[in-house]
């Protein structure tokens, strides 16, 4: 049995006129039901709320982008979830809605709370249908897109595989529309992809291939296989899991060295870091070369920001390049007082350090 997170984009779930694409949605539900019948656990991360709401109402006056996102998502989300409920109901499968936002991943307590909730759902045979809480998210604190959200969910839930269903077959060596471009079947851990990615945005969704690639790399580095495939191919979801040779896709192979849940959380908390710790060349080298070393005050050259013990901080080298992130074992005042000195406890203990 494996645990699979499936992310489906707005372009697959909605039609150009902003109505739900019932054909694609019911094909998706059929396949999730088939995977469950074969013993897999499935979590669905579904976009499409905003796109679907847009087709349902014409606002009485011109709205700014925040107000229209809130209005459309409030309407579209229930349309989507009602359809999922009905379609899964046809298989006797119970669905539950999880609406979340970035701050729920910022503190460890809310992260673990959310994680526990979703495990309870899975233990009870419920399919979690996850989306960003677009009515409440603050613009500056939104997920880049649901690709980012699905990556967070996949690592948080210790998934074996994240499948991102998009409107292209995967990552190409050039623009997908260019006949000379080739689909990259497999991306090994550490392979440099920057030359290939065409950061073209598509249709209604917020994401593009650039973000997909970045997320896929990060999530696979954390031990989860990531598959990018085209969502409107018949049986694509079942095939990429059970007969991968029969369907075009890009696989990001999982890194053989999965991180602990704590380190995964730290790895994804970059945007919540409360402070910055600058280290000298010697400390940066030690951190980069020895994967089991703690950050000691002696290697610290400067400290920025105010934080409490337990908050996340970013570690930068002398050139300002990020070396690591971690959970500080002392507050910022103590960190400042011990800059460059010996004989104090580590500023970040190895167990709480996530190296780039
Ligand atoms: N949460 C948005 C929605 O459901 C989608 C975000 C995205 O495009 O990835 O409409």
């Amino acid at each position: 049995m494996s645990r699979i997170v499936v992310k489906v984009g707005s372009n697959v779930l909605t039609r150009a006129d902003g109505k739900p694409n019932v054909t694609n949605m019911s094909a998706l539900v059929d396949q999730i039901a088939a995977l469950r019948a074969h013993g897999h656990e499935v979590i669905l991360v579904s976009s499409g709320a905003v796109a679907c709401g847009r087709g349902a109402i014409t606002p009485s006056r011109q709205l700014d982008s925040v107000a229209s996102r809130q209005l459309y998502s409030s309407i579209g989300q229930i349309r989507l979830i009602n359809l999922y409920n009905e379609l899964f109901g046809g298989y006797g499968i119970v669905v539950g809605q999880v609406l979340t936002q970035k701050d729920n991943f910022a503190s460890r307590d809310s992260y673990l709370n959310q994680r526990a909730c979703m495990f309870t759902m899975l233990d009870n045979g419920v399919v979690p249908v996850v989306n960003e809480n677009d009515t409440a998210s603050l613009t500056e604190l939104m997920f880049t897109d649901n690709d980012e959200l699905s990556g967070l969910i996949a690592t948080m839930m210790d998934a074996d595989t994240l499948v991102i269903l998009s409107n292209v077959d995967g990552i190409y060596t050039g623009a997908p529309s260019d006949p000379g471009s080739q689909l990259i079947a497999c991306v090994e851990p550490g392979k440099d992809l920057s030359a290939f990615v065409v950061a073209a945005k598509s249709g209604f969704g917020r994401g593009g291939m650039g973000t997909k690639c970045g997320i896929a790399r990060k999530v696979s580095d954390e031990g989860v296989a990531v598959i990018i495939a085209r969502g409107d191919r018949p049986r694509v979801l079942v095939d990429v899991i059970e007969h991968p040779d029969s369907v075009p896709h890009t696989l990001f192979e999982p890194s053989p060295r999965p991180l602990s849940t704590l380190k995964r959380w730290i790895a994804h908390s970059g945007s919540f870091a409360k402070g910055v710790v600058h280290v000298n060349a010697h400390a940066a080298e030690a951190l980069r070369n020895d994967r089991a070393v703690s950050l000691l005050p002696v290697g610290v050259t400067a400290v920025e920001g105010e934080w409490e013990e337990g908050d996340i901080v970013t570690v930068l080298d002398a050139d300002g390049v990020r070396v690591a992130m971690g959970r500080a074992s002392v507050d910022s005042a103590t960190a400042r007082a011990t800059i460059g000195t010996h004989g104090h406890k580590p500023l970040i203990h190895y167990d709480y350090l996530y190296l780039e």
Side-chain angles (χ1 to χ4, degrees):
M1 190 200 81
S2 73
R3 184 171 304 135
I4 304 162
V5 173
V6 182
K7 185 264 168 177
V8 195
S10 304
N11 292 306
V12 176
L13 296 170
T14 51
R15 303 189 322 203
D17 63 1
K19 299 262 180 340
N21 188 325
V22 182
T23 312
N24 284 354
M25 283 179 73
S26 69
L28 175 70
V29 169
D30 293 347
Q31 295 181 77
I32 292 176
L35 286 175
R36 281 175 45 109
H38 300 170
H40 301 285
E41 272 178 350
V42 182
I43 296 167
L44 177 59
V45 178
S46 173
S47 300
V50 173
C52 205
R54 190 172 282 144
I57 192 169
T58 308
S60 49
R61 61 183 168 79
Q62 177 84 25
L63 297 175
D64 65 31
S65 62
V66 173
S68 57
R69 173 166 54 85
Q70 292 172 327
L71 175 69
Y72 293 145
S73 65
S74 70
I75 299 162
Q77 179 64 22
I78 53 172
R79 296 194 168 214
L80 284 178
I81 212 80
N82 273 335
L83 251 169
Y84 282 127
N85 192 40
E86 210 173 283
L87 293 166
F88 277 109
Y91 287 97
I93 296 172
V94 180
V95 292
Q97 174 178 253
V98 177
L99 291 179
T100 186
Q101 55 202 70
K102 209 162 186 175
D103 4 348
N104 294 342
F105 292 83
S107 98
R108 186 141 174 87
D109 284 348
S110 49
Y111 181 85
L112 291 176
N113 182 44
Q114 181 171 251
R115 184 171 189 264
C117 160
M118 288 178 63
F119 273 117
T120 306
M121 293 171 85
L122 291 179
D123 287 347
N124 286 282
V126 173
V127 173
V129 181
V130 186
N131 196 0
E132 178 164 12
N133 190 358
D134 288 293
T135 57
S137 294
L138 294 167
T139 307
E140 61 276 18
L141 267 185
M142 279 168 75
F143 300 106
T144 315
D145 50 47
N146 272 8
D147 299 326
E148 183 186 14
L149 171 61
S150 68
L152 285 162
I153 297 284
T155 53
M156 179 177 86
M157 297 305 289
D158 303 328
D160 300 283
T161 311
L162 165 64
V163 183
I164 298 180
L165 294 178
S166 173
N167 55 356
V168 287
D169 282 320
I171 308 287
Y172 285 81
T173 53
S177 51
D178 177 347
S181 302
Q182 276 162 9
L183 185 67
I184 304 169
C186 179
V187 179
E188 298 85 17
K191 179 170 171 169
D192 179 19
L193 279 175
S194 48
F196 298 147
V197 182
V198 183
K201 268 178 65 102
S202 49
F204 288 136
R206 287 207 296 273
M209 267 307 142
T211 56
K212 280 188 181 51
C213 232
I215 298 297
R217 166 48 53 76
K218 192 164 186 178
V219 172
S220 57
D221 279 350
E222 292 171 32
V224 180
V226 181
I227 294 169
I228 300 178
R230 187 172 162 139
D232 59 1
R233 282 189 182 275
R235 284 186 59 83
V236 62
L237 182 55
V238 174
D239 285 344
V240 287
I241 298 293
E242 297 186 345
H243 317 284
D245 290 339
S246 69
V247 56
H249 65 278
T250 299
L251 165 70
F252 284 74
E253 282 184 344
S255 152
R257 198 170 32 194
L259 298 166
S260 68
T261 337
L262 181 75
K263 289 202 171 192
R264 288 177 179 193
W265 172 65
I266 292 171
H268 278 291
S269 302
S271 44
F272 309 113
K274 292 270 176 62
V276 178
V277 176
H278 297 266
V279 298
N280 62 26
H282 182 72
E285 195 189 322
L287 289 171
R288 286 193 173 113
N289 292 344
D290 182 351
R291 308 203 61 99
V293 74
S294 298
L295 173 61
L296 298 170
V298 67
V300 175
T301 54
V303 162
E304 284 174 44
E306 301 300 324
W307 71 79
E308 301 296 321
E309 175 189 338
D311 284 343
I312 302 290
V313 295
T314 303
V315 181
L316 302 183
D317 70 10
D319 298 322
V321 177
R322 194 162 80 177
V323 187
M325 278 184 329
R327 193 156 80 151
S329 22
V330 296
D331 61 22
S332 50
T334 312
R336 247 177 219 112
T338 57
I339 287 175
T341 59
H342 283 282
H344 297 284
K345 72 172 183 175
L347 204 159
I348 307 171
H349 184 270
Y350 161 68
D351 284 344
Y352 299 99
L353 196 59
Y354 171 77
L355 301 168
E356 289 290 309

